[in-house]
Amino acid sequence: MARFRHIIRNRNFSLLWLAQTISQFGDRLDQMALIALVYRLAPGSPSQMAKLMSFTILPVFLIGPIAGVYVDRWDRRRTMVVCDLLRAGLILLIPFWLIHLPTLVPIYIVVFLVFSVSRFYVPAKMSIIPEIVKTDDLLLANSLVNTTGIVAAMFGLGLGGVLVSMVGPRGGFIVDGASFLVSGLMIFLLSTRSMRELKAGKIAEVGREIAEVIRKSVIAEMRDAFFFLKGQKQLRSCFNVLFLLWAALGAVYVVSIVFVQNIFSSGTKEVGFLVVALGLGMFLGTLAYGRLGPRNASMKVVFSCVFLSGVVLSLFVSIVIRRPEVLPALTLSFLLGLVISPIMAISNTLVHQVTDTSMRGKVFSSLEIIVHLAFLLAMLVSSALAEIVQPGPMLLTVSGIMAVIGLIGVVTTHDPPRRT
């Protein structure tokens, strides 16, 4: 616990950590409210749920390539503050105006704009971490940032599920907007000497670079990322594993929501409870793993977690189908969180270790494109198949693929990544 106390006493890191936790908590209240709106219009439809999620992912391809250029040249703290203020204003349009309209189209547009702004926020947040913590604390910092953010999101989904089932979606949108305002205030209070200002002499250079990126298609941007990663073995391994993980998440995300809704005949409440159990498992698992230190950040551990995740997910589906009870479902969801928890922390730490500070924004933007492409494609395919095949068999198939790939990775991976 001494290492945790040490990093929490870092004022800048604590502010960043709390800001993300509050923002993620409110953001998932908003997501649960959106799920409730879709459930009212098209209950039990994976394709309609996938349509909603598509508006949250498309900005990754349209805005993500440009965001990396800005983030590497702008003051990252200011970028994050502006993003939070813009997102707050956009979200608050929903409860005070758009929610009363007879169509969801304006809400989908707002969701698209909010996640477009987030394309600047995410690489700025990930790029700023090495500037406010010591190198030896990177694994622990990433563990706390990634997992507590996810846990806050999970509890936001859980409480959001209960809140929406009681009072409707309007309250979730209001809380989400307020959370962005609080997050922006905390980021504003950050103070780091190493953050670079955008100099006047670089404005023309930035403009030319942005114009060049805009002219590129998504395929061209992906091609550039491919050639960059081709010469970076450690980064390539991290990106491959994250592509696999996010493809699995995309395949199970929408299908699992519909699966739980069908099993328990509920719109949001049971979904929220299960996500809370998942988040609690991820939180405790990362606390336990983060104490082991950076020497244990290896790809063999990541593949082991992928294998165990496939096994636990298959157990979850099989047992819940036979015994549609909340307690065993909560237990297995908690166990799934435990085995998933180290994957993102280890992967982000390895990316930090082998990437120069001037390239981090572009690298994390490329990472965002790759993992969200995996998520979007897998989600669309699985949701379309789930209209024909039952959600249960779909989830069992995905879990089996995860277990096989994880086992192959454990057997074939020998040398742990080394810092370069």
Side-chain angles (χ1 to χ4, degrees), residues 132-161:
I132 60 178
V133 302
K134 297 178 179 179
T135 301
D136 292 340
D137 293 329
L138 271 178
L139 176 63
L140 184 57
N142 278 310
S143 298
L144 287 172
V145 167
N146 287 318
T147 305
T148 54
I150 293 174
V151 170
M154 301 307 179
F155 276 96
L157 285 171
L159 294 179

Side-chain angles (χ1 to χ4, degrees), residues 347-361:
S347 300
N348 285 332
T349 299
L350 295 176
V351 172
H352 278 147
Q353 289 176 342
V354 300
T355 307
D356 184 78
T357 184
S358 64
M359 283 292 296
R360 286 192 185 117

Side-chain angles (χ1 to χ4, degrees), residues 179-221:
S179 71
F180 281 130
L181 293 175
V182 175
S183 172
L185 175 62
M186 290 185 171
I187 298 298
F188 178 78
L189 296 176
L190 284 176
S191 60
T192 57
R193 291 190 299 267
S194 59
M195 297 181 190
R196 297 178 295 155
E197 301 282 343
L198 178 64
K199 297 180 180 179
K202 292 186 177 181
I203 292 178
E205 180 183 350
V206 174
R208 287 192 298 270
E209 191 169 352
I210 292 173
E212 179 182 354
V213 173
I214 291 175
R215 286 195 298 268
K216 294 181 179 180
S217 65
V218 173
I219 296 177
E221 190 68 19

Side-chain angles (χ1 to χ4, degrees), residues 34 37 94 98-99 103-112 173:
L34 290 171
L37 289 178
I94 298 178
L98 301 180
I99 200 171
T103 175
L104 286 175
V105 173
I107 295 179
Y108 286 152
I109 294 174
V110 168
V111 169
F112 174 82
F173 294 124

Side-chain angles (χ1 to χ4, degrees), residues 299-300 303-304 404-414:
M299 294 307 299
K300 186 176 285 290
F303 279 117
S304 299
V404 170
I405 294 178
L407 184 60
I408 293 173
V410 171
V411 173
T412 58
T413 302
H414 301 290

